[in-house]
Amino acid sequence: MANPANRVLSGIRPTGPLHVGHLVGAIANWARLQESYECFFMIADWHALTSNFEDTSHIREWVLENTACMLAAGVDPDRVVMFRQSDVPEHAELHLLLSMVTPVPWLERVPTYKEQKEQMADKDLSSYGFLGYPVLQTADILAYRATVVPVGDDQVAHLELGREIVRRFNHLYGEVFPEPKPLLTQTPRLPGPDRRKMSKSYGNAIELGGDRAAAEKLVKEMYTDPVKIRKNDPGHPDDCVVMAFHRTFNEAAVAGIDRECRAGERGCVACKSEMMGHLWDRMGPVHEKRKALLADPAKLGGILERGARRAREEAGATLKLVRTAMKLA
Ligand code: TRP
């Protein structure tokens, strides 16, 4: 029996098709967590709006895409509560109530807030909703009184703010919420083939929807040690994207590959093709399952609806406690 004191919640934003970095960095990890925790996994479509409110034309398609990828990666809707954020209006009510106790300077201090406003200068991030992003994220977690939040390191600051909101809320109204803790993903972030962050917007994403040929094309273009020109030149695997992929998809062979590369006994072309085999061993089955699942969108919709009903039961119970604590009920 899962320990209810160890309840997990995590979310993913439906902002586009998922790639292999999402698989190893997030959703495959979720499939592992369902073995030992009571889990709530959410497709955060309201969070997708914070930076993409101008064009919502693809959002429903991407919700289904994300749902199919989660299932293909092994997340089991009979064992976890898997749902879409906007199907559970309790998140919005809790967001509103938490916003009352959250000082604006706390939000302005969140590092990702400043960074993203600077880096995504082409987007209009001046909205109230974007500033409140971490308050909504806190509501997502607290609606289930979750204590364990699997996230990448980019989300740690949001979690820290969430903990501050919890302390303030509990101080004002009594102990309603446990403090959620981040559970950092163990796998190092997979770089894109060009060494930049893997992202659809850079055109360097190995998408789960892409076939083997599409993945192979990106693998062939992968950045390798620029001073290793001939097969027998000694290489520097620490700066090599192919090596980063070996570390994730071919872990058992990494020590040998590292030694051969440094000794000039391993050519990059053969090294890429070996890695490609291991990458596809992992990705191929997910790619195929995703495709089969997307052929039946009504079934995917049904899974999300069922998840939302279960999520609303839990979130509804939490909101009752919250209204009582705040003397609203
Ligand atoms: N902000 C998270 C991301 O971009 C997605 C998310 C939304 C989330 N709500 C959450 C993650 C609650 C953990 C808990 O990756």
Side-chain angles (χ1 to χ4, degrees), residues 47-114:
H47 273 109
L49 296 178
T50 56
S51 51
N52 293 15
F53 63 90
E54 282 159 333
D55 179 6
T56 57
S57 56
H58 295 288
I59 195 156
R60 262 200 282 174
E61 169 194 335
W62 288 335
V63 166
L64 291 184
E65 216 274 336
N66 288 8
T67 308
C69 289
M70 280 163 69
L71 296 169
V75 174
D76 178 355
D78 290 330
R79 300 180 70 176
V80 310
V81 181
M82 181 172 154
F83 64 100
R84 172 171 70 169
Q85 188 181 33
S86 65
D87 284 332
V88 187
E90 285 79 3
H91 291 228
E93 182 181 348
L94 188 53
H95 170 244
L96 176 110
L97 295 173
L98 297 178
S99 79
M100 301 300 169
V101 309
T102 307
V104 171
W106 288 10
L107 297 172
E108 289 170 333
R109 261 200 314 262
V110 173
T112 41
Y113 175 70
K114 285 185 253 166

Coordinates of all heavy atoms in Angstrom, one line a residue, residues 47-114:
H47 N -1.0 26.4 -17.3 CA 0.4 26.9 -17.3 C 0.9 27.2 -18.7 O 1.7 28.0 -19.0 CB 1.3 25.9 -16.6 CG 1.3 26.2 -15.1 ND1 0.8 25.3 -14.2 CD2 1.9 27.2 -14.4 CE1 1.0 25.8 -13.0 NE2 1.6 26.9 -13.1
A48 N 0.4 26.4 -19.7 CA 0.8 26.6 -21.1 C 0.4 28.0 -21.6 O 1.1 28.7 -22.4 CB 0.3 25.5 -22.0
L49 N -0.8 28.5 -21.0 CA -1.3 29.8 -21.5 C -0.4 30.9 -21.0 O -0.4 32.0 -21.6 CB -2.7 30.0 -20.9 CG -3.8 29.1 -21.4 CD1 -5.1 29.4 -20.8 CD2 -3.9 29.2 -22.9
T50 N 0.3 30.7 -19.9 CA 1.1 31.9 -19.3 C 2.0 32.5 -20.3 O 2.2 33.7 -20.3 CB 1.8 31.5 -18.0 OG1 2.7 30.4 -18.3 CG2 0.9 31.1 -16.9
S51 N 2.6 31.7 -21.1 CA 3.5 32.2 -22.1 C 3.0 32.1 -23.6 O 3.6 32.7 -24.5 CB 4.9 31.6 -22.0 OG 4.8 30.2 -22.0
N52 N 1.9 31.4 -23.8 CA 1.4 31.1 -25.1 C -0.1 31.6 -25.3 O -0.8 30.9 -26.0 CB 1.5 29.6 -25.5 CG 2.9 29.1 -25.6 OD1 3.8 29.8 -25.2 ND2 3.1 28.0 -26.2
F53 N -0.5 32.6 -24.6 CA -1.9 32.9 -24.6 C -2.4 33.4 -25.9 O -3.6 33.4 -26.3 CB -2.3 33.9 -23.5 CG -1.6 35.2 -23.6 CD1 -2.2 36.3 -24.4 CD2 -0.3 35.5 -23.1 CE1 -1.6 37.5 -24.5 CE2 0.3 36.7 -23.2 CZ -0.3 37.7 -23.9
E54 N -1.5 33.9 -26.8 CA -1.9 34.5 -28.0 C -2.4 33.5 -29.0 O -3.2 33.8 -29.9 CB -0.8 35.4 -28.6 CG -0.7 36.7 -27.9 CD 0.7 37.3 -28.1 OE1 1.7 36.6 -28.3 OE2 0.8 38.6 -28.0
D55 N -1.8 32.3 -29.0 CA -2.1 31.3 -30.0 C -2.5 30.0 -29.2 O -1.6 29.3 -28.8 CB -1.0 31.1 -31.0 CG -1.3 30.0 -32.0 OD1 -2.5 29.5 -32.0 OD2 -0.4 29.6 -32.8
T56 N -3.8 29.8 -29.1 CA -4.2 28.6 -28.4 C -4.7 27.5 -29.4 O -5.3 26.5 -29.0 CB -5.3 28.9 -27.4 OG1 -6.4 29.5 -28.1 CG2 -4.9 29.9 -26.3
S57 N -4.4 27.7 -30.7 CA -5.0 26.8 -31.7 C -4.5 25.3 -31.5 O -5.2 24.4 -32.0 CB -4.7 27.3 -33.1 OG -3.3 27.5 -33.3
H58 N -3.3 25.1 -31.0 CA -2.9 23.7 -30.9 C -3.0 23.1 -29.6 O -2.6 21.9 -29.4 CB -1.4 23.6 -31.3 CG -1.1 24.0 -32.7 ND1 -1.5 23.2 -33.8 CD2 -0.6 25.2 -33.3 CE1 -1.2 23.8 -34.9 NE2 -0.6 25.0 -34.6
I59 N -3.5 23.8 -28.6 CA -3.4 23.3 -27.2 C -4.1 22.0 -27.0 O -3.5 21.1 -26.3 CB -3.8 24.4 -26.2 CG1 -3.3 24.0 -24.8 CG2 -5.3 24.7 -26.2 CD1 -3.2 25.2 -23.9
R60 N -5.3 21.8 -27.6 CA -6.0 20.5 -27.4 C -5.2 19.4 -28.0 O -5.1 18.3 -27.4 CB -7.4 20.6 -27.9 CG -8.3 20.9 -26.8 CD -9.7 20.5 -27.1 NE -10.3 21.5 -27.9 CZ -11.5 21.5 -28.5 NH1 -12.2 20.4 -28.3 NH2 -11.9 22.4 -29.2
E61 N -4.7 19.6 -29.2 CA -3.9 18.6 -29.9 C -2.7 18.2 -29.0 O -2.3 17.0 -28.8 CB -3.4 19.2 -31.2 CG -2.4 18.5 -32.0 CD -1.9 19.4 -33.1 OE1 -2.6 20.4 -33.5 OE2 -0.7 19.2 -33.5
W62 N -2.0 19.2 -28.4 CA -0.8 18.9 -27.6 C -1.2 18.2 -26.2 O -0.4 17.5 -25.7 CB 0.0 20.2 -27.4 CG 0.7 20.6 -28.6 CD1 1.0 19.8 -29.7 CD2 1.1 22.0 -29.0 NE1 1.6 20.6 -30.7 CE2 1.7 21.9 -30.3 CE3 1.0 23.2 -28.4 CZ2 2.2 23.0 -30.9 CZ3 1.5 24.3 -29.0 CH2 2.1 24.2 -30.3
V63 N -2.4 18.5 -25.7 CA -2.8 17.8 -24.5 C -2.9 16.3 -24.8 O -2.4 15.5 -24.1 CB -4.2 18.4 -24.0 CG1 -4.8 17.4 -23.0 CG2 -4.0 19.8 -23.4
L64 N -3.5 16.0 -26.0 CA -3.6 14.6 -26.4 C -2.3 14.0 -26.7 O -2.0 12.8 -26.3 CB -4.6 14.4 -27.6 CG -6.0 14.7 -27.3 CD1 -6.9 14.5 -28.6 CD2 -6.6 13.9 -26.1
E65 N -1.4 14.8 -27.3 CA -0.1 14.3 -27.6 C 0.7 13.9 -26.3 O 1.3 12.9 -26.2 CB 0.7 15.4 -28.3 CG 1.6 15.0 -29.4 CD 3.0 14.7 -28.9 OE1 3.4 15.2 -27.8 OE2 3.7 13.9 -29.6
N66 N 0.6 14.9 -25.4 CA 1.3 14.6 -24.1 C 0.7 13.4 -23.4 O 1.4 12.6 -22.8 CB 1.2 15.8 -23.2 CG 2.0 17.0 -23.6 OD1 2.6 17.0 -24.7 ND2 2.1 18.0 -22.8
T67 N -0.6 13.3 -23.4 CA -1.3 12.1 -22.8 C -0.8 10.8 -23.4 O -0.4 9.9 -22.7 CB -2.8 12.2 -23.0 OG1 -3.3 13.5 -22.6 CG2 -3.6 11.2 -22.2
A68 N -0.8 10.8 -24.8 CA -0.3 9.6 -25.5 C 1.1 9.3 -25.1 O 1.5 8.1 -24.9 CB -0.5 9.8 -27.0
C69 N 2.0 10.3 -25.0 CA 3.4 10.0 -24.7 C 3.6 9.5 -23.3 O 4.4 8.6 -23.0 CB 4.2 11.3 -24.9 SG 4.5 11.8 -26.6
M70 N 2.8 10.1 -22.3 CA 2.8 9.6 -21.0 C 2.5 8.1 -20.9 O 3.2 7.3 -20.3 CB 1.9 10.4 -20.1 CG 2.5 11.7 -19.6 SD 1.2 12.8 -19.0 CE 0.8 12.1 -17.5
L71 N 1.4 7.8 -21.6 CA 0.9 6.4 -21.6 C 2.0 5.5 -22.3 O 2.3 4.4 -21.8 CB -0.4 6.2 -22.3 CG -1.6 7.0 -21.6 CD1 -2.8 7.0 -22.6 CD2 -2.0 6.3 -20.3
A72 N 2.5 6.0 -23.4 CA 3.5 5.2 -24.1 C 4.7 4.9 -23.3 O 5.4 3.9 -23.4 CB 3.8 5.9 -25.4
A73 N 5.1 5.9 -22.4 CA 6.3 5.8 -21.6 C 6.0 4.8 -20.4 O 6.9 4.6 -19.6 CB 6.7 7.1 -21.1
G74 N 4.7 4.4 -20.2 CA 4.5 3.4 -19.1 C 3.7 4.0 -18.0 O 3.4 3.2 -17.0
V75 N 3.3 5.2 -18.0 CA 2.4 5.7 -16.9 C 1.1 5.0 -17.1 O 0.5 5.0 -18.2 CB 2.2 7.3 -17.0 CG1 1.2 7.8 -16.0 CG2 3.6 8.0 -16.9
D76 N 0.6 4.5 -16.0 CA -0.6 3.6 -16.0 C -1.8 4.3 -15.3 O -1.8 4.5 -14.1 CB -0.2 2.3 -15.2 CG -1.4 1.3 -15.2 OD1 -2.5 1.7 -15.6 OD2 -1.2 0.2 -14.7
P77 N -2.8 4.6 -16.1 CA -3.9 5.4 -15.6 C -4.7 4.6 -14.6 O -5.6 5.2 -13.9 CB -4.8 5.7 -16.8 CG -4.4 4.7 -17.9 CD -2.9 4.3 -17.6
D78 N -4.5 3.3 -14.5 CA -5.2 2.5 -13.4 C -4.5 2.6 -12.1 O -5.0 2.3 -11.0 CB -5.3 1.1 -13.8 CG -6.3 0.9 -15.0 OD1 -7.2 1.7 -15.1 OD2 -6.1 -0.1 -15.8
R79 N -3.2 3.1 -12.1 CA -2.4 3.2 -10.9 C -2.2 4.6 -10.5 O -1.9 4.9 -9.3 CB -1.1 2.5 -11.1 CG -1.2 1.1 -11.5 CD 0.2 0.5 -11.7 NE 0.9 0.3 -10.4 CZ 2.1 -0.2 -10.3 NH1 2.7 -0.7 -11.4 NH2 2.6 -0.3 -9.1
V80 N -2.3 5.6 -11.4 CA -2.1 7.0 -11.0 C -3.3 7.8 -11.4 O -4.2 7.3 -12.1 CB -0.9 7.6 -11.8 CG1 0.4 6.7 -11.6 CG2 -1.2 7.8 -13.2
V81 N -3.4 9.0 -10.9 CA -4.5 9.9 -11.3 C -3.8 10.8 -12.3 O -2.9 11.6 -12.0 CB -5.1 10.7 -10.1 CG1 -6.2 11.6 -10.6 CG2 -5.6 9.7 -9.0
M82 N -4.3 10.6 -13.6 CA -3.7 11.4 -14.7 C -4.8 12.3 -15.3 O -5.9 11.8 -15.6 CB -3.3 10.3 -15.7 CG -2.6 10.8 -16.9 SD -2.0 9.3 -17.7 CE -2.0 9.9 -19.4
F83 N -4.5 13.6 -15.3 CA -5.6 14.5 -15.6 C -5.1 15.8 -16.3 O -3.9 16.0 -16.3 CB -6.5 14.8 -14.4 CG -5.7 15.5 -13.3 CD1 -5.8 16.9 -13.2 CD2 -4.8 14.9 -12.5 CE1 -5.1 17.6 -12.2 CE2 -4.1 15.6 -11.5 CZ -4.2 16.9 -11.4
R84 N -6.1 16.5 -16.8 CA -5.8 17.8 -17.3 C -6.2 18.9 -16.3 O -7.3 18.9 -15.8 CB -6.6 18.0 -18.6 CG -6.5 19.4 -19.2 CD -7.1 19.4 -20.6 NE -8.6 19.3 -20.5 CZ -9.4 19.5 -21.5 NH1 -8.9 19.9 -22.7 NH2 -10.7 19.4 -21.4
Q85 N -5.3 19.8 -16.1 CA -5.4 20.9 -15.1 C -6.8 21.6 -15.2 O -7.5 21.8 -14.2 CB -4.3 21.9 -15.2 CG -4.2 22.9 -14.2 CD -3.0 23.9 -14.5 OE1 -2.7 24.1 -15.7 NE2 -2.3 24.3 -13.5
S86 N -7.1 22.0 -16.4 CA -8.4 22.8 -16.6 C -9.6 22.1 -16.3 O -10.7 22.6 -16.3 CB -8.4 23.5 -18.0 OG -8.5 22.5 -19.0
D87 N -9.5 20.7 -16.2 CA -10.7 19.9 -15.8 C -11.0 20.0 -14.3 O -12.0 19.4 -13.9 CB -10.5 18.5 -16.3 CG -10.7 18.3 -17.8 OD1 -11.5 19.1 -18.4 OD2 -10.1 17.4 -18.3
V88 N -10.1 20.6 -13.6 CA -10.2 20.6 -12.1 C -10.2 22.0 -11.6 O -9.2 22.6 -11.2 CB -9.1 19.8 -11.5 CG1 -9.3 19.6 -10.0 CG2 -8.9 18.4 -12.1
P89 N -11.4 22.7 -11.6 CA -11.5 24.1 -11.3 C -11.0 24.4 -9.9 O -10.7 25.6 -9.6 CB -13.0 24.4 -11.5 CG -13.7 23.2 -11.7 CD -12.7 22.1 -12.0
E90 N -11.0 23.4 -9.0 CA -10.4 23.6 -7.7 C -9.0 24.3 -7.7 O -8.7 25.0 -6.8 CB -10.4 22.3 -6.9 CG -11.8 21.8 -6.4 CD -12.6 21.1 -7.5 OE1 -12.1 21.0 -8.6 OE2 -13.8 20.8 -7.2
H91 N -8.3 24.0 -8.7 CA -6.9 24.6 -8.8 C -7.0 26.1 -8.9 O -6.2 26.8 -8.4 CB -6.2 24.1 -10.0 CG -5.7 22.6 -10.0 ND1 -4.5 22.2 -10.3 CD2 -6.4 21.5 -9.6 CE1 -4.4 20.9 -10.1 NE2 -5.6 20.4 -9.7
A92 N -8.1 26.5 -9.7 CA -8.2 28.0 -9.9 C -8.7 28.7 -8.6 O -8.2 29.7 -8.2 CB -9.2 28.2 -11.0
E93 N -9.6 28.0 -7.8 CA -10.0 28.6 -6.6 C -8.9 28.7 -5.6 O -8.7 29.7 -4.9 CB -11.2 27.7 -6.0 CG -11.7 28.3 -4.7 CD -12.8 27.5 -4.0 OE1 -13.3 26.6 -4.7 OE2 -13.1 27.8 -2.9
L94 N -8.1 27.6 -5.5 CA -7.0 27.6 -4.6 C -5.9 28.6 -5.0 O -5.3 29.4 -4.2 CB -6.4 26.2 -4.5 CG -5.3 26.0 -3.4 CD1 -5.8 26.5 -2.0 CD2 -4.9 24.5 -3.3
H95 N -5.7 28.8 -6.3 CA -4.8 29.8 -6.8 C -5.2 31.2 -6.3 O -4.4 32.0 -5.9 CB -4.7 29.7 -8.3 CG -4.0 30.8 -9.0 ND1 -4.6 31.7 -9.8 CD2 -2.7 31.2 -8.9 CE1 -3.7 32.6 -10.2 NE2 -2.6 32.3 -9.7
L96 N -6.5 31.4 -6.4 CA -7.0 32.7 -6.0 C -6.8 33.0 -4.5 O -6.3 34.0 -4.1 CB -8.5 32.8 -6.3 CG -9.1 34.1 -5.8 CD1 -9.5 35.0 -7.0 CD2 -10.3 33.9 -4.9
L97 N -7.1 31.9 -3.7 CA -6.9 32.1 -2.3 C -5.5 32.3 -1.9 O -5.1 33.1 -1.1 CB -7.6 30.9 -1.5 CG -9.1 30.8 -1.7 CD1 -9.6 29.6 -1.1 CD2 -9.8 32.0 -1.1
L98 N -4.6 31.5 -2.5 CA -3.2 31.6 -2.2 C -2.6 33.0 -2.7 O -1.7 33.5 -2.1 CB -2.4 30.5 -2.9 CG -2.7 29.1 -2.4 CD1 -1.8 28.1 -3.2 CD2 -2.4 28.9 -0.9
S99 N -3.2 33.5 -3.7 CA -2.7 34.8 -4.3 C -2.9 35.9 -3.2 O -2.2 36.9 -3.2 CB -3.4 35.2 -5.6 OG -4.7 35.7 -5.4
M100 N -3.9 35.7 -2.3 CA -4.2 36.7 -1.3 C -3.1 36.8 -0.3 O -2.8 37.9 0.3 CB -5.5 36.4 -0.6 CG -6.7 36.3 -1.5 SD -7.0 37.9 -2.3 CE -8.2 37.3 -3.5
V101 N -2.4 35.7 -0.1 CA -1.3 35.7 1.0 C 0.1 35.8 0.4 O 1.1 35.7 1.1 CB -1.5 34.5 1.9 CG1 -2.9 34.3 2.5 CG2 -1.0 33.2 1.2
T102 N 0.2 35.9 -0.9 CA 1.5 35.9 -1.6 C 1.9 37.3 -1.9 O 1.3 38.0 -2.8 CB 1.5 35.1 -2.9 OG1 1.0 33.8 -2.5 CG2 2.8 34.9 -3.5
P103 N 3.0 37.9 -1.3 CA 3.4 39.2 -1.6 C 4.0 39.2 -3.1 O 4.8 38.3 -3.4 CB 4.6 39.5 -0.6 CG 4.4 38.4 0.4 CD 3.7 37.3 -0.2
V104 N 3.7 40.3 -3.8 CA 4.2 40.4 -5.2 C 5.7 40.4 -5.2 O 6.3 39.8 -6.1 CB 3.6 41.7 -5.8 CG1 4.3 42.0 -7.2 CG2 2.1 41.5 -6.0
P105 N 6.4 41.0 -4.3 CA 7.9 41.0 -4.4 C 8.5 39.5 -4.3 O 9.5 39.3 -4.9 CB 8.4 41.8 -3.1 CG 7.2 42.7 -2.8 CD 6.0 41.9 -3.2
W106 N 7.8 38.6 -3.6 CA 8.3 37.2 -3.6 C 8.3 36.7 -5.0 O 9.1 35.9 -5.4 CB 7.3 36.3 -2.8 CG 7.4 36.5 -1.3 CD1 8.1 37.5 -0.6 CD2 6.8 35.6 -0.3 NE1 7.9 37.3 0.8 CE2 7.1 36.2 0.9 CE3 6.0 34.5 -0.4 CZ2 6.6 35.6 2.1 CZ3 5.5 33.9 0.8 CH2 5.8 34.4 2.0
L107 N 7.2 37.1 -5.8 CA 7.1 36.6 -7.2 C 8.1 37.2 -8.1 O 8.7 36.6 -9.0 CB 5.7 36.8 -7.7 CG 4.6 36.1 -6.9 CD1 3.2 36.6 -7.4 CD2 4.7 34.6 -7.1
E108 N 8.4 38.5 -7.9 CA 9.3 39.2 -8.7 C 10.7 38.8 -8.5 O 11.6 38.9 -9.4 CB 9.2 40.7 -8.5 CG 7.9 41.3 -9.0 CD 7.6 42.7 -8.6 OE1 8.1 43.1 -7.5 OE2 6.9 43.5 -9.3
R109 N 11.0 38.2 -7.3 CA 12.3 37.7 -7.0 C 12.6 36.3 -7.6 O 13.8 35.9 -7.6 CB 12.4 37.6 -5.5 CG 13.1 38.8 -4.8 CD 13.7 38.4 -3.5 NE 12.7 37.7 -2.6 CZ 12.0 38.2 -1.6 NH1 12.0 39.5 -1.4 NH2 11.2 37.5 -0.9
V110 N 11.6 35.6 -8.1 CA 11.9 34.2 -8.6 C 12.8 34.4 -9.8 O 12.5 35.1 -10.8 CB 10.6 33.6 -9.0 CG1 10.8 32.2 -9.7 CG2 9.7 33.4 -7.8
P111 N 14.0 33.7 -9.8 CA 15.0 33.9 -10.9 C 14.4 33.6 -12.3 O 14.7 34.3 -13.2 CB 16.1 32.9 -10.5 CG 15.8 32.4 -9.2 CD 14.4 32.8 -8.7
T112 N 13.6 32.5 -12.4 CA 13.1 32.2 -13.7 C 12.2 33.3 -14.3 O 12.1 33.5 -15.5 CB 12.3 30.9 -13.7 OG1 11.5 30.8 -12.6 CG2 13.2 29.7 -13.7
Y113 N 11.5 34.0 -13.4 CA 10.7 35.1 -13.8 C 11.5 36.2 -14.6 O 11.2 36.5 -15.7 CB 9.9 35.7 -12.6 CG 9.1 36.9 -13.0 CD1 7.9 36.8 -13.7 CD2 9.4 38.2 -12.6 CE1 7.1 37.9 -14.1 CE2 8.7 39.3 -12.9 CZ 7.5 39.1 -13.6 OH 6.7 40.2 -14.0
K114 N 12.5 36.6 -13.9 CA 13.4 37.6 -14.6 C 14.1 37.1 -15.8 O 14.0 37.7 -16.9 CB 14.5 38.1 -13.6 CG 13.9 39.0 -12.5 CD 15.1 39.5 -11.6 CE 15.0 38.8 -10.3 NZ 16.2 38.9 -9.4

